[in-house]
Amino acid sequence: MNSSDLRLAVQKAVEKAKIVDVHTHLYPPCCDKLLLRGVDDLLTYHYLTVETLRYGEIGPEKFFSLSKHLQADIIWDVLFERRSPVSEACRGILTTLNSYGLDPTSESLGSIRQYFSELSLDEHVDLVLEKSGVDTLVMTNNPFDEEEEPHWGPEFISDNRFKTALRIDDMLNSPQATFKKLEQRGYKPVTDTGGLDYCVMRKFLLDCANRIEPVYLAASLPPGFDWSEDAIGYRVLKNVVLPCCEERGLPIALMIGVKKLINPVMGLGGDGVGCSPVEAVAKLCLENPSVKFMVTMLARENQHELAVTARKFPNLTVFGCWWFLNNPSLVEEITRMRVELLGLSFIPQHSDARVLDQLIYKWKHSKGIIAEVLYDKYADLAKTGWQVSAEDIGRDVEMLFSENAKELTGIK
Ligand code: FIX
Ligand code: ZN
C-alpha cells in the first residue's frame, strides 16, 4: 500500500469505527431535563463559561445569576462575535453546529435555537449517536446525587446504549460526611465503639450495584489523596471498594489529579489540576493482582510515568486524555507516547461529554488525531518492510475504539 492509500485506509477505518465511550456525564432519555442538549447547553458548558469570564467584562457572580439563555448570549458575543473562536471548546461548538448543517457565520443564535427546539429528546439522542459513531456510552452515576438518584430504577438501565458507572468519590474523599448520608439511608458504617464497619459499606455499594448494574466503579481523587495505609479514605478503598469490585468482577476506574474548586465562584469550571504520585497506582496494582484498574490522570506531567507503569501491570489499563488534556496538541503527544509504549493495549479516549451534542465534536476531533498517529506508526512499520493490510488496520482500530473497552468492562 503506498502512503496515500495507507492514509486513506486508516482514515476510513477510524471514520467508520463504532465507539464505546467509557466516560461521560450524559443520561438516558428517561431522565428528560437531566440530559443537557442543544445550543444553550453547549454554550454554557463550564469550559466556555470560564473562558468567557477571563475577559472580565462581567463578574462571575453576576454572570451566574443570569438565565442560561442570557449566559449563552454573552458567551456567544464575547467568544464568537468579538473574537475568533480559536480555543478547543469554541471550535467544538462550530464542529457540532456544522455537523447539523448549521452555519453560525450566516445564521443567528436565534435560528440555531429554533433548529434544536424542533428536535424531540428521542430524535436528538438517536441523531447524535448516529452522527458521533458512539454505539455505547458509560454514564457517571453518583448515589449521592439528589437529582439523579430518584431516577434509578428499571427504566434507568433499560436503554442498552447507556451503561452505568457507580461513582463513589465521596466515600473516599469525604468519608465522614458520607457516613452520615449512609446513616440517613439506614446503613450504620461506624460501630458504637467508633470503628468502621466495612461490611455495611460493602452492602451499600452492592445494593447500589444491584439497582443500576454498573460496568465499573469509579472515583476521582485529588493530587493530595492520602494513600497511607491508616488513612480513612485509603482504608475504604482497600476494604470496601476493591473487595466489591472483585466480588462483582468489575473494574475500578481511578481518575486522579483534580484539585476541586481552586476557584469556587466558577462552579463546575472552578476545578484545577495537580501532579499525583503514580507510585500509588503501581502499589495498588501490585497488591491487588486480581482487580482490573482503569486509570486516567489529569496532569500532563503524569502521563509518561503512568504509561510506563502500565507496561509493568497487565491489570492496569490507561484510558482517555482527560479534561484539560483533551486538546489536540496534548491528545497527539499522549497518544503517540502510548502507542510507542503500550502498542494497542490502552483506551485512547473518552469524551467526558456533559452535553449530548458534544459527543459529535469530541469524537470527531479525537478521531482525526488518533488516525494521524496510527498512520505515522504504520508508515514507520512500512519502512521496516512490514506492510499492514486494510483488515489489519480495521482490527487494530476496533480494539482502540471499542474492543479494549468491551473486554475490560464486559460491555457487549
Ligand atoms: O470528575 C469528572 O468526571 C470530571 O470529568 C468532571 O468533573 C469535569 O467537570 C468534566 O466534565 C471535565 O471534562
Ligand atoms: Zn468526567
Side-chain angles (χ1 to χ4, degrees):
M1 215 185 292
N2 65 37
S3 61
S4 56
D5 290 346
L6 176 61
R7 186 184 292 276
L8 206 55
V10 173
Q11 285 171 343
K12 270 173 65 182
V14 169
E15 174 54 35
K16 78 179 179 57
K18 299 310 275 178
I19 297 160
V20 171
D21 190 342
V22 294
H23 174 59
T24 76
H25 297 267
L26 301 177
Y27 291 101
C30 69
C31 292
D32 196 15
K33 291 268 178 291
L34 267 187
L35 175 59
L36 302 179
R37 64 191 181 104
V39 68
D40 284 336
D41 283 328
L42 280 169
L43 285 170
T44 55
Y45 182 38
H46 65 75
Y47 289 28
L48 290 164
T49 57
V50 296
E51 289 178 29
T52 301
L53 293 170
R54 279 196 50 70
Y55 292 102
E57 297 179 19
I58 180 172
E61 292 83 357
K62 170 81 177 116
F63 177 83
F64 288 116
S65 72
L66 302 173
S67 68
K68 188 182 291 186
H69 187 105
L70 284 176
Q71 289 179 19
D73 285 345
I74 291 170
I75 290 167
W76 185 253
D77 176 52
V78 170
L79 296 182
F80 294 81
E81 299 273 293
R82 290 189 286 119
R83 295 169 178 86
S84 300
V86 289
S87 78
E88 180 59 6
C90 284
R91 180 171 77 106
I93 298 283
L94 303 180
T95 299
T96 303
L97 296 180
N98 183 266
S99 76
Y100 291 114
L102 299 169
D103 176 2
T105 59
S106 62
E107 296 185 62
S108 70
L109 199 44
S111 70
I112 294 170
R113 282 170 170 145
Q114 179 59 31
Y115 169 83
F116 285 104
S117 70
E118 289 159 10
L119 278 177
S120 77
L121 177 52
D122 287 318
E123 277 170 347
H124 203 167
V125 168
D126 294 347
L127 186 60
V128 170
L129 294 185
E130 191 270 324
K131 281 183 179 292
S132 62
V134 172
D135 249 4
T136 310
L137 59 89
V138 185
M139 302 183 273
T140 297
N141 307 108
N142 176 354
F144 304 108
D145 180 323
E146 284 158 16
E147 266 198 301
E148 174 199 337
E149 195 263 347
H151 288 275
W152 287 14
E155 196 185 4
F156 189 70
I157 53 176
S158 62
D159 187 329
N160 204 36
R161 300 170 299 177
F162 291 77
K163 298 297 182 184
T164 62
L166 186 56
R167 182 70 179 261
I168 42 107
D169 303 9
D170 301 340
M171 285 188 90
L172 304 183
N173 297 329
S174 42
Q176 297 300 351
T178 306
F179 295 160
K180 286 193 175 40
K181 292 177 185 172
L182 290 187
E183 282 163 11
Q184 289 159 5
R185 298 188 186 190
Y187 298 88
K188 198 172 179 308
V190 182
T191 64
D192 296 339
T193 54
L196 297 182
D197 191 331
Y198 297 135
C199 294
V200 166
M201 292 183 229
R202 286 198 292 269
K203 180 171 185 331
F204 168 71
L205 284 187
L206 294 173
D207 288 348
C208 290
N210 289 335
R211 288 177 66 191
I212 63 169
E213 297 168 11
V215 296
Y216 61 75
L217 271 63
S220 161
L221 302 174
F225 182 75
D226 186 348
W227 295 92
S228 46
E229 296 284 344
D230 58 355
I232 195 165
Y234 181 78
R235 285 160 54 198
V236 172
L237 173 63
K238 187 174 176 182
N239 299 292
V240 177
V241 178
L242 296 188
C244 285
C245 289
E246 280 202 82
E247 182 174 330
R248 299 282 293 221
L250 296 176
I252 174 75
L254 297 176
M255 306 169 71
I256 308 172
V258 53
K259 287 183 179 174
K260 294 302 283 182
L261 296 179
I262 60 172
N263 187 358
V265 77
M266 293 295 185
L268 269 180
D271 297 337
V273 57
C275 280
S276 307
V278 181
E279 59 269 25
V281 174
K283 182 172 177 289
L284 273 180
C285 295
L286 183 67
E287 291 176 353
N288 303 278
S290 55
V291 175
K292 296 179 286 184
F293 292 89
M294 299 167 58
V295 175
T296 195
M297 296 184 83
L298 192 52
R300 177 191 187 192
E301 297 79 1
N302 280 140
Q303 299 309 316
H304 182 251
E305 186 181 356
L306 178 62
V308 169
T309 303
R311 286 167 61 87
K312 313 308 166 184
F313 295 100
N315 61 328
L316 170 56
T317 299
V318 175
F319 76 96
C321 298
W322 181 28
W323 200 341
F324 306 116
L325 299 175
N326 193 1
N327 294 307
S329 59
L330 297 176
V331 172
E332 177 174 357
E333 172 189 284
I334 294 166
T335 304
R336 279 187 190 283
M337 175 183 64
R338 286 174 176 171
V339 173
E340 289 158 1
L341 280 170
L342 302 171
L344 298 165
S345 65
F346 68 101
I347 297 171
Q349 191 55 297
H350 62 268
S351 70
D352 221 342
R354 281 185 175 273
V355 181
L356 174 67
D357 311 85
Q358 290 173 340
L359 290 177
I360 296 170
Y361 90 81
K362 285 180 181 259
W363 281 108
K364 185 174 174 62
H365 292 182
S366 293
K367 274 191 166 185
I369 297 162
I370 296 166
E372 208 44 45
V373 171
L374 281 177
Y375 163 73
D376 281 352
K377 294 304 166 190
Y378 290 135
D380 288 347
L381 286 185
K383 288 173 193 152
T384 72
W386 184 282
Q387 295 289 341
V388 288
S389 67
E391 291 70 28
D392 297 336
I393 296 168
R395 173 203 59 203
D396 299 347
V397 164
E398 287 301 310
M399 285 179 195
L400 291 175
F401 286 97
S402 57
E403 290 309 314
N404 288 353
K406 288 180 178 177
E407 191 181 329
L408 183 64
T409 62
I411 290 173
K412 295 285 174 273

